[in-house]
């Protein structure tokens, strides 16, 4: 669910407050209405932009992957998993856009369903990125004997390492997601028990940071650092290596630029909520705006995924043109002949091409 929801409900519901501030003393303590007005205009516009871009990019990837009914390699399979996760994720954004702009009109069932879909695909997309980095590490660093391991990861382990943990993460949505009236609007959010309310929130925020950023981020960083070190050595295929290095650096930077500011904001806000850090009122309002803006930046990563992991690849671009071409049958035959050379990872230069494919 959108993080901004936990920053709102002070209109007669003390259980959704921040820290130990009493709702009756809120106006005197800190007026947060500026952030609320800001999010009513900012979030809906950004959510609709991400929705449209995400539908087009990820939808095209799914279409092209469906067009390639045969000869999918491990990279293709990860692309398909990632695009499905991102596609389902962006489908929840119109609901949150309407909720941020006005109120929740979709009932309790849709509140629980949308929260579960949102959480499932938020975690799965990030974990799939970690699997992609691990796959590319095996393809480049252990190119001569990694084919069996890569196939096992792409076809079996991904369900246990990505989709199962992501499904487990939806259990709190099933238990706590509810529709609640604030007096002026209906909101859809996780409503925790009044006793220990702040502790519940802190636990799930730390879970988000750990599982949704820190662990996959470490896997991505370590794997790509080793890949960069590997590609930097040797003298063969320098042009291909430079392209692979450039692509690798872009992948790492985009992940951390998109997700690090948002997770840092959640961390600081959680520490403030637990009264472990004390900040002034204007800094708290600034922190809320920071979270709103960086949340949109983090979600924008699902629009970048098709570009970073699909459209930058020459082979995928050819496949996309074939899928959209009137003469797709002849183009497909051409691609099928060429695909046999690309799928091999027996040499260092072929392994390097996995990064840019």
């Amino acid at each position: 669910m959108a993080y901004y929801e936990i920053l709102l409900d002070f209109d007669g519901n003390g259980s959704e407050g921040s820290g130990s501030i009493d709702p009756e003393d809120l106006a005197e303590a800190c007026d947060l209405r500026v952030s609320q007005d800001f999010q009513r205009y900012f979030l809906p516009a950004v959510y609709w932009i991400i929705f449209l871009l995400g539908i087009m990019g990820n939808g095209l990837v799914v279409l092209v992957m469906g067009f390639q009914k045969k000869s999918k390699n491990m990279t293709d399979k990860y692309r398909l998993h990632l695009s499905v996760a991102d596609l389902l994720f962006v489908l929840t954004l119109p609901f949150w856009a309407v909720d941020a702009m006005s109120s929740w009109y979709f009932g309790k069932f849709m509140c629980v369903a949308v929260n579960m879909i949102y959480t499932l695909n938020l975690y799965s997309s990030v974990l799939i990125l970690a699997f992609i980095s691990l796959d590319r590490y095996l393809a480049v660093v252990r190119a001569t004997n990694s084919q069996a391991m890569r196939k096992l990861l792409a076809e079996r382990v991904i369900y246990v390492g990505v989709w199962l943990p992501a499904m487990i993460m939806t259990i709190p949505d099933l238990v706590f997601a509810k529709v609640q009236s604030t007096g002026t609007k209906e909101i859809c959010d996780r409503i925790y028990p009044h006793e220990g309310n702040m502790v519940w929130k802190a636990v799930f925020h730390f879970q988000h940071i750990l599982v949704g950023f820190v662990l996959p981020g470490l896997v991505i960083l370590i794997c790509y650092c080793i890949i960069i070190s590997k590609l930097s050595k040797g003298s063969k295929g320098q042009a291909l290596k430079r392209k692979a290095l450039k692509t690798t650096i872009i992948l790492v930077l985009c992940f951390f630029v998109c997700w690090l500011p948002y997770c840092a904001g959640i961390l600081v806000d959680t520490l403030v909520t637990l009264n472990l850090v004390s900040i002034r009122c204007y800094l708290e309002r600034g922190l809320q705006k920071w979270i709103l803006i960086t949340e949109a930046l983090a979600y924008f990563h699902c629009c970048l995924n098709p570009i970073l992991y699909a459209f930058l690849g020459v082979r995928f671009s050819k496949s996309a043109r074939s899928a959209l071409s009137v003469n797709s049958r002849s183009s497909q035959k051409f691609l099928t002949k060429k695909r046999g050379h690309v799928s091999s990872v027996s040499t260092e230069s072929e392994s390097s091409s996995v990064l840019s494919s």
Side-chain angles (χ1 to χ4, degrees), residues 129-141:
L129 295 179
F131 265 70
I132 291 175
S133 65
L134 182 59
D135 175 76
R136 292 179 172 181
Y137 162 79
L138 292 173
V140 175
V141 180

Side-chain angles (χ1 to χ4, degrees), residues 155-273:
E155 295 182 354
R156 298 182 182 275
V157 179
I158 189 172
Y159 295 101
V160 179
V162 172
W163 293 106
L164 181 60
M167 290 179 65
I168 293 174
M169 296 299 176
T170 66
I171 294 176
D173 295 310
L174 185 62
V175 175
F176 297 114
K178 295 179 178 66
V179 178
Q180 186 177 57
S181 174
T182 65
T184 58
K185 61 177 289 187
E186 300 287 322
I187 63 169
C188 169
D189 194 12
R190 289 183 183 178
I191 309 299
Y192 303 116
H194 179 73
E195 184 177 354
N197 181 49
M198 293 299 104
V199 176
W200 280 102
K201 289 181 178 179
V203 168
F204 288 119
H205 293 165
F206 284 127
Q207 170 194 286
H208 185 171
I209 295 170
L210 182 64
V211 181
F213 176 73
V214 175
L215 293 180
L218 284 175
V219 173
I220 291 171
L221 186 61
I222 292 172
C223 288
Y224 282 140
C225 283
I226 297 175
I227 290 171
I228 291 172
S229 175
K230 174 71 173 180
L231 295 178
S232 298
K233 298 177 181 178
S235 58
K236 295 182 180 180
Q238 289 300 317
L240 186 59
K241 285 184 177 181
R242 282 195 295 270
K243 182 178 180 181
L245 282 171
K246 181 179 178 180
T247 304
T248 302
I249 293 172
I250 291 174
L251 294 176
V252 175
L253 287 178
C254 284
F255 177 82
F256 285 99
V257 167
C258 287
W259 282 103
L260 181 58
Y262 177 51
C263 290
I266 292 178
L267 177 61
V268 174
D269 186 77
T270 303
L271 296 177
V272 172
T273 299

Side-chain angles (χ1 to χ4, degrees), residues 313-325:
V314 176
R315 189 164 66 89
F316 182 87
S317 300
K318 291 181 179 179
S319 300
R321 286 195 296 269
S322 297
L324 300 176
S325 173

